[in-house]
Amino acid sequence: MRDIGAGFGYLLQGQKWVFGHGRWFGFGLLPGLVTFVLYAGAFVGLFYGADDLTAWATPFADDWGSPWQGLLRGTLTFLVFGLGLFLAVITFTAVTLLIGQPFYESLSEAVDRAEGGEAPESGRPLWQELWVSARDSLRVLVRVALYGVLLFAAGFIPVVGQTVVPALGFCVSGFFLTEELTAVALQRRDVDFKERLGLLRGRRTLALGFGVPLTLFFLVPFIAVLLMPGAVAGATLMARDLVGETSADEDEDEDGNGGSGESRPGTGAGGHPVQPQPNPYQQANPYQQQQPYRQPGPYSS
């Protein structure tokens, strides 16, 4: 339960960070606005075409009498909208991050510099960053689509389909939404897709505490656009936690007066400073060497 609260706390901290740095808030709004216009057009098309789609998919019901034909097709239309909304929440983030890759990279680096004084860089050119982001987003969407089909089918189960299935849908959406957002910071640290899933599986409640509330907020039109900059900032803070990096505030607390004489990271016995160790993310990727997170789980491929 503590991790759930911590995940939600990172979401709030991210929003606080961008509102405290107004230039970055406005900078991060632009990709979301473009994506919002595209998705609004898609939903208008779905609204006008959903009835025709369900009629085309159920030709066997053409001769059914009232109220059974309307009940069947009305239920299917509702499920089509539900599935579309489920996919939109996930794909909105993927598409926005792809469109706004340079924007959100810069925002994430600014958060890293504010918290730790340095921003790890992958060293890849922009075109390669875009390719990696698009490839990983596609891998997420394939997984989400599979879960979406299963949940769509389970939606026909009486009672369970109207209670348990929606809750599971929000959890799936929240987990993968967190993966997409933390990827901005973790890709710069050369943590690949499977390793990112491993990190999040190891802290699943943290991921859900961050992603599920954000998924619920994203259901409100236009809120997703306003929250995206803060979501990227909060996900960067979470990514630092996942890989064990400390923030500037934590470092100040450790180095402040009045503390105990116990040994702390970066100090020797009695608090005497020792030679700092090099940042492993600037030299080698420890996850690819040790691979401690490759454990089977419900989200693994």
Side-chain angles (χ1 to χ4, degrees):
M1 293 299 294
R2 181 179 297 179
D3 260 358
I4 291 179
F8 186 64
Y10 281 126
L11 180 60
L12 295 180
Q13 289 176 44
Q15 302 303 324
K16 181 180 178 181
W17 194 95
V18 295
F19 278 108
H21 300 75
R23 180 174 68 89
W24 287 108
F25 176 69
F27 190 69
L29 284 178
L30 297 177
L33 288 171
V34 173
T35 309
F36 178 79
V37 171
L38 295 175
Y39 273 66
F43 265 96
V44 168
L46 181 63
F47 177 80
Y48 284 104
D51 290 339
D52 293 336
L53 178 63
T54 54
W56 171 83
T58 57
F60 56 86
D62 288 343
D63 297 329
W64 289 13
S66 178
W68 306 114
Q69 183 190 83
L71 184 62
L72 172 67
R73 290 179 172 171
T75 301
L76 288 177
T77 299
F78 175 79
L79 290 174
V80 166
F81 272 107
L83 180 61
L85 190 60
F86 172 77
L87 293 176
V89 169
I90 296 297
T91 59
F92 180 89
T93 303
V95 174
T96 303
L97 291 175
L98 185 61
I99 292 174
Q101 180 76 16
F103 294 84
Y104 295 131
E105 284 280 353
S106 299
L107 172 58
S108 180
E109 290 175 2
V111 174
D112 267 329
R113 280 191 289 270
E115 294 299 313
E118 60 181 20
E121 297 181 3
S122 66
R124 291 186 291 263
L126 177 59
W127 70 266
Q128 192 171 2
E129 289 284 357
L130 292 173
W131 162 248
V132 171
S133 179
R135 181 196 64 192
D136 290 349
S137 293
L138 181 61
R139 297 166 79 176
V140 168
L141 293 178
V142 168
R143 286 167 169 77
V144 170
L146 290 175
Y147 279 108
V149 170
L150 293 176
L151 293 173
F152 180 79
F156 290 97
I157 301 175
V159 182
V160 173
Q162 292 74 48
T163 54
V164 177
V165 170
L168 289 176
F170 282 120
C171 289
V172 171
S173 299
F175 181 88
F176 284 109
L177 187 60
T178 302
E179 195 287 325
E180 288 274 34
L181 290 166
T182 54
V184 177
L186 292 176
Q187 279 179 3
R188 290 190 290 104
R189 291 163 167 82
D190 285 329
V191 183
D192 66 21
F193 177 73
K194 290 186 177 181
E195 302 302 339
R196 296 199 302 269
L197 288 181
L199 285 170
L200 292 173
R201 286 199 303 270
R203 303 283 300 277
R204 189 173 291 112
T205 51
L206 180 72
L208 294 178
F210 182 90
V212 172
L214 191 59
T215 300
L216 294 172
F217 287 133
F218 276 16
L219 295 178
V220 182
F222 201 68
I223 291 294
V225 177
L226 296 177
L227 294 185
M228 270 300 292
V232 173
T236 301
L237 297 173
M238 180 186 292
R240 295 176 61 85
D241 181 3
L242 291 172
V243 299
E245 298 177 12
T246 57
S247 68
D249 291 339
E250 290 172 342
D251 290 338
E252 287 179 6
D253 291 341
E254 289 178 350
D255 295 335
N257 295 326
S260 65
E262 297 178 356
S263 177
R264 299 184 298 272
T267 63
H272 298 293
V274 297
Q275 184 66 28
Q277 298 297 315
N279 187 341
Y281 298 101
Q282 294 177 345
Q283 297 183 359
N285 181 3
Y287 300 104
Q288 293 179 349
Q289 296 170 2
Q290 300 173 7
Q291 296 182 350
Y293 301 106
R294 294 186 181 277
Q295 303 260 341
Y299 302 105
S300 59
S301 55

